[in-house]
Amino acid sequence: MRGALDAEEARAAEVAGPAEAEWRRLDARIIWVVTLWGSGLALVTLAIMWWRNAPWWLIAPVPVPLVCGIGYEALRWFKTRYRLTSTHVELKTGLLTRTHRSIPRNRVRSVDVTANPLHRVLRLALVRVGTGHRVSSTKAAVLSLNALSAADAEELRAGLVRRAGTGEQRAIARLDWRWLRFGPLSFATPLLGLSAVGATYETLDILGFDPDNVLIPDLIDWLGEANLLPVIVLGVLGLLLAGALGALGWYVETWWDFRLIREPHGALRASRGLFVTRSATLEEERLHGVEVAEPLMLRLGGGAYTYAVATGAGSTDDEASTFNTSALLPPAPIEESHRVAAAVLREERDPTASVRLVPHPRHALARRVRWAFFCGLGLGGVLVGLGVWLTPVLAHIGWVSALVVWVAGVLFARDGYRSLGHGITGRYVVTRHGSLKRRTIALRRSGVIGWTVTQWAWHRRSTLCRVTATTPGGRGAYHVKDVLMGEGLGFADEAVPGVLTPFLVRRGGTRGADDQGLS
């Protein structure tokens, strides 16, 4: 054991040098990045102002922010130092207020290397070192180095994630262009279509075509004489087509040349990106499980996302985030998601697919139907009330809206209820919930360090509760929702014996799950 530790320390020393390693500057070419970005923005601003015949006293100050930005970046570069020792990675920065941040190397959980188009032209990269520790509910502790040369960034990444291990690099998954069909299967597609319309309007306004007084009045006059039904149908199809093209473009840019590989020293590395390249490295020993997420539109098309459940990983709620280190696969067929999940966990089969989930009681369905009823009643009641006060048109809109919400709510309630389930298979606990985004999560039982049992006032009559698994550095989002109290406590106690035992009271001296309660 001691020999292995000595060997690891020796390898770390090869990369980092002595404990008192010299402080190094960031790459000075980062100043050129700011200069080029600022110059491009200033030129576009000057061109628009010239086109709009702006007075000279508005044009003259345009270069001032550019000069200030370049000066600030030069000072920041001059006052920033970093070093990698055999035990820590350290960063000193700040102009008016100096900060010195130090992260022990054994606390590093993820290393992300990102390069936007200008970074790539100048052969630079942004390195973000994550520890998994959260300084607030929305902000993680991350040390950022903007920017290093591409070679230095790769050397730093390799040094921070290097661990004892032998073997060859092995590819787990690569992008298949047949998966492109999953790109438009998102609720964001119509929003992208509306964004295209808004961007067109803003562009025309900036260029001086005045759409409010020219384009829109002509469009209103034309609609007054046209047959509205085909116009509405063609308009909706046009928006969906524009949104689909935008979604395809987003998919290509985000997932271009995607590769998921397992490195010899026990780390998972996912790289992707066309214009902005991203490379996220996650230590395999920090992996606690996987999540297979199926947003509704993607699920109807037979696809899914695959995420890592790991200390220091990014949020699974932001699929295309630049710094999302949890993504293990782009939107892909559900079979491929299960294959990759099994390969990442080094299992023969994906636990999320092989487990037999226990269904939840009918009380959970009734609760969801009640929520749908009250939502429809609230929306319809407000609109009907406004209609009685203002105009009968709103009253008609109110009862129609309530009816639509009730019908859609019942459908979603049934789907959400059918998605509920939990189970145990081998080394894993599995939980599933959600309708608009169904999430199936497999957690290693050894990675669960505690349970949280929550019961709201509207739960108590039906004896339902929510049981949440807690993992090291986790976000506390691994729920068993709307389960009977006794059944949920029995599941948690069986999954991780001994954690809940001091808090359980068994009535009648039996060990039945239905007889259990919290002390």
Side-chain angles (χ1 to χ4, degrees):
M1 180 65 181
R2 181 59 190 171
L5 293 175
D6 291 341
E8 184 172 344
E9 291 175 0
R11 278 189 295 271
E14 289 180 9
V15 176
E20 295 300 327
E22 293 184 359
W23 290 94
R24 303 173 64 180
R25 294 185 187 274
L26 302 176
D27 198 295
R29 286 173 291 180
I30 186 61
I31 301 174
W32 279 105
V33 172
V34 176
T35 302
L36 292 174
W37 274 117
S39 299
L41 183 61
L43 288 175
V44 171
T45 303
L46 289 172
I48 293 174
M49 297 179 74
W50 174 79
W51 179 272
R52 300 296 296 269
N53 295 318
W56 67 268
W57 50 270
L58 285 179
I59 297 177
V62 169
V64 175
L66 172 61
V67 174
C68 293
I70 295 173
Y72 174 83
E73 186 61 31
L75 286 173
R76 187 189 72 86
W77 170 83
F78 182 76
K79 300 294 288 185
T80 301
R81 300 285 192 280
Y82 79 96
R83 69 175 179 179
L84 179 64
T85 73
S86 59
T87 57
H88 289 76
V89 54
E90 300 178 69
L91 175 67
K92 288 183 178 181
T93 188
L95 299 180
L96 298 178
T97 303
R98 296 287 291 167
T99 60
H100 182 181
R101 300 186 61 189
S102 178
I103 296 178
R105 294 180 61 168
N106 59 5
R107 295 294 183 90
V108 173
R109 301 295 180 259
S110 63
V111 183
D112 311 329
V113 181
T114 308
N116 62 38
L118 272 181
H119 280 102
R120 295 174 66 184
V121 168
L122 297 175
R123 299 188 60 80
L124 297 174
L126 165 63
V127 180
R128 291 165 56 96
V129 181
T131 65
H133 176 69
R134 304 191 66 79
V135 296
S136 68
S137 60
T138 59
K139 185 177 180 181
V142 176
L143 188 148
S144 298
L145 300 175
N146 186 18
L148 303 179
S149 68
D152 288 345
E154 176 57 27
E155 180 184 357
L156 181 65
R157 185 202 70 83
L160 287 174
V161 301
R162 183 170 297 173
R163 296 290 186 272
T166 59
E168 296 181 355
Q169 180 174 286
R170 186 169 69 86
I172 297 177
R174 298 195 65 171
L175 178 67
D176 187 336
W177 285 113
R178 290 176 295 181
W179 303 345
L180 194 62
R181 67 184 186 273
F182 295 110
L185 299 182
S186 169
F187 287 110
T189 296
L191 297 179
L192 289 173
L194 292 173
S195 298
V197 174
T200 302
Y201 174 89
E202 291 296 333
T203 301
L204 293 174
D205 187 49
I206 289 174
L207 295 178
F209 289 100
D210 196 10
D212 288 332
N213 295 322
V214 179
L215 180 63
I216 293 180
D218 292 342
L219 181 61
I220 292 175
D221 293 339
W222 178 74
L223 289 175
E225 301 176 358
N227 188 349
L228 288 182
L229 181 59
V231 170
I232 293 174
V233 172
L234 290 176
V236 171
L237 291 177
L239 285 176
L240 292 178
L241 178 60
L245 293 175
L248 287 174
W250 185 262
Y251 189 101
V252 170
E253 198 288 322
T254 302
W255 301 107
W256 178 272
D257 195 28
F258 171 84
R259 289 177 294 171
L260 176 65
I261 62 175
R262 175 175 280 119
E263 298 186 331
H265 48 268
L268 297 170
R269 184 180 184 186
S271 59
R272 56 189 169 104
L274 177 58
F275 298 111
V276 179
T277 59
R278 310 161 181 93
S279 175
T281 305
L282 187 66
E283 288 189 18
E284 194 172 2
E285 64 184 30
R286 307 300 177 183
L287 187 69
H288 302 302
V290 295
E291 174 182 335
V292 176
E294 303 169 83
L296 180 61
M297 296 297 294
L298 195 57
R299 176 162 36 119
L300 294 176
Y305 286 94
T306 309
Y307 299 110
V309 177
T311 304
S315 171
T316 61
D317 295 324
D318 194 359
E319 289 89 355
S321 173
T322 300
F323 300 115
N324 188 356
T325 60
S326 66
L328 297 175
L329 198 67
I334 186 67
E335 298 81 6
E336 181 68 9
S337 293
H338 291 316
R339 184 195 70 80
V340 170
V344 166
L345 295 175
R346 299 181 185 267
E347 300 286 343
E348 292 185 4
R349 296 187 62 189
D350 176 15
T352 66
S354 61
V355 67
R356 183 176 180 179
L357 296 177
V358 177
H360 288 205
R362 302 282 295 181
H363 296 301
L365 173 60
R367 176 173 175 265
R368 282 160 172 74
V369 172
R370 282 196 299 270
W371 271 109
F373 173 76
F374 286 126
C375 287
L377 184 64
L379 176 62
V382 170
L383 291 177
V384 169
L386 291 175
V388 173
W389 183 30
L390 299 175
T391 172
V393 175
L394 285 177
H396 292 294
I397 294 176
W399 72 261
V400 171
S401 300
L403 185 61
V404 170
V405 171
W406 285 334
V407 173
V410 170
L411 294 176
F412 281 117
R414 288 182 59 84
D415 182 66
Y417 168 70
R418 294 175 62 184
S419 295
L420 290 174
H422 63 276
I424 300 175
T425 174
R427 299 186 299 159
Y428 299 90
V429 294
V430 181
T431 175
R432 188 177 68 190
H433 58 82
S435 179
L436 290 178
K437 184 177 183 180
R438 186 166 72 185
R439 305 172 61 190
T440 308
I441 304 165
L443 282 174
R444 286 199 179 108
R445 297 162 71 175
S446 59
V448 178
I449 61 174
W451 296 94
T452 301
V453 181
T454 307
Q455 188 177 49
W456 290 276
W458 51 85
H459 267 151
R460 292 170 188 165
R461 185 175 180 181
S462 58
T463 69
L464 295 178
C465 68
R466 185 181 71 185
V467 181
T468 304
T470 303
T471 60
R475 298 173 181 270
Y478 314 121
H479 306 304
V480 181
K481 292 187 174 182
D482 293 334
V483 64
L484 291 174
M485 175 67 81
E487 185 178 336
L489 295 178
F491 167 73
D493 192 40
E494 180 185 357
V496 189
V499 174
L500 281 181
T501 302
F503 306 98
L504 293 178
V505 175
R506 292 177 173 84
R507 301 181 182 90
T510 66
R511 295 182 59 84
D514 292 336
D515 294 328
Q516 295 184 131
L518 285 176
S519 60

